Amino acid sequence: MVHFVGAGPGAPDLITLRGAALLQRADVVIYAGSLVNPALLENTRPGVEIYNSAEMTLEEVLAQMQAAEAQGQDTVRLHTGDPSLYGAVREQMDALDALGIPWDDTPGVSSFCGAAAALGAEYTLPGVSQTLIVTRLAGRTGVPEREALPALAAHGASMALFLSAGNLEGVQQALLEGAYHEDTPAAIVYKATWPDECVVRCTVGTLAAAGAAAGITKTALLLVGAFLGAEYARSKLYDPAFTTAFREGRER
Ligand code: SAH
């Protein structure tokens, strides 16, 4: 059987208990070596076969999974963060279905959650934004035209940009074509939750310059929006005057 497992954003203790148990028992591990922390591979049994998918094609990954399955072995396919975001998992799942190889999927802590933790931020602040847009700038991999960054930026919502740190000028320009302003707060979070994590707070107008000054061109998330600012409303949920299913509201 093949187990897709989310490795979490970097720190080895941010994998889930289920993911760690599957990793511990695996006969074969195929990990996304460009971003998965190799420290996670220490939690494997002696004699485990380990492959780095950064050096492999889809066909080569599938061939290893097939070979393991033929011997009745369990494979863990370890993806960074959560497999469902920019993980190229669907094509593997569909190919395994076609091959009649069973699989399951264990979620992980996505890097956008690790980045929020690094910043002490809340994406969905009352009175500021109730929406998080998870997207990327078009690069060598395209983005559907209707999801072009200036179009998404028109909402002015909280935004987390993956895979876009290599073109900060392009991001900055596209954001300014939308509803964000030069002084809209922004942050660049490099290697969230890794030992060499680096957080750069800036604004949309200084995004490219701040990234260049810090020398960040990859393995970073770009976070944008007023949720990184100082202003917000307090929550209704914990307001003494607000009645919920669990608590009777009282006048303050
Ligand atoms: N599935 C992963 C994303 C894989 S795409 C997840 O859920 O996080 C790879 C991109 O994710 C990187 O280019 C970077 O933008 C982002 N990323 C992954 N790990 C990161 C980390 N620890 N800190 C900041 N960005 C990270």
Side-chain angles (χ1 to χ4, degrees):
M1 179 160 183
V2 174
H3 304 283
F4 293 94
V5 173
D13 56 349
L14 284 177
I15 191 171
T16 64
L17 293 174
R18 187 191 298 179
L22 288 167
L23 195 56
Q24 231 290 312
R25 286 200 301 268
D27 303 296
V28 176
V29 175
I30 306 175
Y31 73 107
S34 52
L35 280 168
V36 168
N37 190 337
L40 278 164
L41 303 174
E42 289 163 20
N43 174 35
T44 48
R45 58 176 196 72
V48 64
E49 280 176 52
I50 296 182
Y51 300 95
N52 177 1
S53 66
E55 297 156 358
M56 298 161 78
T57 62
L58 170 62
E59 287 72 12
E60 287 167 342
V61 167
L62 291 169
Q64 288 302 344
M65 290 173 170
Q66 243 182 317
E69 186 67 15
Q71 297 182 56
Q73 295 181 324
D74 267 351
T75 299
V76 161
R77 177 69 170 106
L78 196 57
H79 283 275
T80 179
D82 183 77
S84 72
L85 286 169
Y86 310 105
V89 279
R90 177 64 191 275
E91 61 190 16
Q92 298 175 72
M93 292 165 172
D94 285 349
L96 291 175
D97 283 344
L99 292 166
I101 298 176
W103 55 267
D104 61 16
D105 187 6
T106 298
V109 177
S110 179
S111 56
F112 78 84
C113 301
L119 288 160
E122 177 178 345
Y123 291 115
T124 52
L125 275 183
V128 176
S129 178
Q130 292 291 290
T131 304
L132 172 63
I133 296 177
V134 170
T135 190
R136 60 168 300 169
L137 191 65
R140 289 205 294 159
T141 299
V143 169
E145 187 51 40
R146 63 185 179 280
E147 298 174 10
L149 196 49
L152 296 185
H155 296 279
S158 304
M159 188 180 280
L161 285 145
F162 286 69
L163 296 160
S164 304
N167 184 1
L168 292 176
E169 296 276 359
V171 170
Q172 182 172 331
Q173 193 186 328
L175 294 176
L176 290 172
E177 284 173 40
Y180 306 106
H181 305 287
E182 295 270 345
D183 61 357
T184 301
I188 306 171
V189 182
Y190 172 76
K191 291 187 93 174
T193 80
W194 288 71
D196 49 344
E197 169 185 289
C198 174
V199 171
V200 178
R201 289 183 185 263
C202 55
T203 64
V204 170
T206 61
L207 189 68
I216 298 172
T217 56
K218 60 178 178 143
T219 328
L221 279 170
L222 316 176
L223 306 176
V224 186
F227 76 98
L228 291 169
E231 305 289 319
Y232 62 94
R234 70 168 284 174
S235 67
K236 289 256 192 299
L237 187 61
Y238 296 106
D239 185 330
F242 192 69
T243 297
T244 74
F246 300 98
R247 184 174 59 75
E248 190 68 32
R250 283 177 229 279
E251 281 312 310
R252 276 190 263 172

